[in-house]
Amino acid sequence: MAGALLMTADIQANEVPLAKKVLVIGHRGASALRPEHTLASYGKAIADGADFIEPDLVMTRDGVPVARHENEISGTTDVAQHAEFASRKATKTIDGEKVTGWFTEDFTLDELKTLRARERLPEFRSTAYDGQFQIPTLDEIIDFVAAESATQGRVIGIIPEIKHGTYFQKAGLPMEDRVLAILAAHAYTRTAPVEIQSFEIANLRYLRGKLGKNHPNIRLLQLLGDDKEEPYDTVAAGKKLTYAQMMTPAGLRDIAGYADAIGPSIRSIIPLAADGSLGKPTALVHDAHAAKLELHPYTFRPENHFQAKNFWKGSDPKTFNEAGSIAEIRAYLDAGVDAFFTDDPALGRKAVDGR
């Protein structure tokens, strides 16, 4: 038994990425530095060296994909301060959870454009940019990235996430075909790297069927939640499947039949020890690579609060800890990840380029 454990540890210690280049993904842009999912956040991410920027997509009432992490927008916009929209406040069941607030699907695009973004984590991050930026559409994001690519002289990828796919399908606002149509309508996204993500399974399988082998620039990423959580499309279909089951060797082989990569939590790759310090790697990187799947884990953040305790600078959870973030990212690079999501792409760039 000890010999088997040693061999597993040796394999993990010697894991190398499948990807030719480890990619830095700007999580919601440079969301540690600007309000998330704004053109300002994406622009900062690109300026700081991100290889990809990530727009999470939800739908408006008139069927336009816009960038918000959730369809409930009171935490990331000033909608609560708009008296004209007070009556839109509602309680809905989203993926099995009751949520109260204001929802993008109850607004037209023109109405959403009257709102302004604000910082989602004001207890940790600056609110200096609150009230300055609009909610962008997917079309606007693609045009912006294309222009930035030309200015920067390098190709910048886009990694959109389809949020709450089953919910929006049942609401009569399915996103999958609309997203593909928008990607096809722009010259930039007909050739630039695109990776479509989802925590659900059925929509990724559907997209694989639609894309076939005719769109080599578009890849698919299966996102994975906490072990006991379940993809909501399987819940809605009355099936039982946990993300832990999806992360077994058999589950990973199944994912490889329709996706190119997995996006687990960073702690599914190297969990925290009981004292909050970084523990030992699991077999996930090895098993995923054995199934020919890349790993694009989420999310590295620059504040102490979000880092393993052995990387903290001082004792204040709010402290912006550049060195700690870089050291933590490098521990995962050593574990063999192929890309990673970070709220501060400048630190991700330093972690990769300075190894």
Side-chain angles (χ1 to χ4, degrees), residues 63-223:
V64 180
V66 295
R68 289 290 90 188
H69 182 253
E70 297 293 339
N71 55 329
E72 199 289 296
I73 54 174
S74 63
T76 60
T77 74
D78 60 0
V79 65
Q81 279 69 59
H82 285 251
E84 69 273 25
F85 297 136
S87 64
R88 307 278 179 96
K89 190 174 186 179
T91 299
K92 301 188 179 190
T93 301
I94 311 295
D95 295 357
E97 301 287 336
K98 282 195 172 183
V99 181
T100 298
W102 287 263
F103 299 85
T104 58
E105 65 270 21
D106 295 332
F107 293 79
T108 65
L109 177 61
D110 286 346
E111 289 172 331
L112 285 178
K113 284 293 187 180
T114 68
L115 307 180
R116 293 297 179 268
R118 66 185 183 92
E119 174 55 49
R120 185 176 63 90
L121 297 172
E123 66 273 31
F124 292 106
R125 295 172 178 173
S126 172
T127 58
Y129 295 96
D130 284 10
Q132 296 187 29
F133 308 121
Q134 291 184 339
I135 297 174
T137 67
L138 178 58
D139 281 297
E140 290 168 341
I141 293 165
I142 295 170
D143 286 340
F144 178 78
V145 173
E148 288 293 300
S149 174
T151 300
Q152 295 271 335
R154 64 184 178 92
V155 177
I156 300 152
I158 302 174
I159 183 164
E161 180 185 343
I162 294 176
K163 303 290 294 190
H164 310 300
T166 295
Y167 173 84
F168 279 112
Q169 288 166 17
K170 290 183 177 180
L173 294 165
M175 231 182 300
E176 291 74 16
D177 286 319
R178 183 70 186 126
V179 168
L180 289 183
I182 290 171
L183 294 174
H186 291 261
Y188 187 76
T189 43
R190 289 199 292 271
T191 59
V194 174
E195 190 162 280
I196 303 174
Q197 323 167 66
S198 178
F199 277 99
E200 297 189 2
I201 299 171
N203 56 0
L204 290 179
R205 290 187 180 276
Y206 173 79
L207 288 168
R208 174 56 68 208
K210 292 281 288 188
L211 291 166
K213 297 181 179 179
N214 298 321
H215 301 81
N217 67 307
I218 301 178
R219 306 206 307 163
L220 301 179
L221 173 66
Q222 176 67 67
L223 292 167

Side-chain angles (χ1 to χ4, degrees), residues 239-320:
K239 301 175 182 178
K240 292 291 293 181
L241 179 67
T242 66
Y243 287 118
Q245 291 172 307
M246 294 176 72
M247 286 187 272
T248 63
L252 294 166
R253 287 193 295 271
D254 186 58
I255 293 170
Y258 61 88
D260 303 283
I262 59 170
S265 160
I266 57 175
R267 305 309 182 202
S268 294
I269 293 172
I270 309 179
L272 297 180
D275 63 357
S277 65
L278 203 61
K280 300 295 184 183
T282 67
L284 183 57
V285 172
H286 175 74
D287 292 343
H289 284 170
K292 305 303 182 187
L293 289 167
E294 291 186 8
L295 287 94
H296 302 177
Y298 62 90
T299 303
F300 294 103
R301 296 184 165 102
E303 297 88 3
N304 272 345
H305 175 76
F306 302 105
Q307 297 172 19
K309 283 288 181 70
N310 50 307
F311 298 120
W312 276 39
K313 177 182 179 181
S315 59
D316 186 349
K318 299 178 183 179
T319 296
F320 186 97

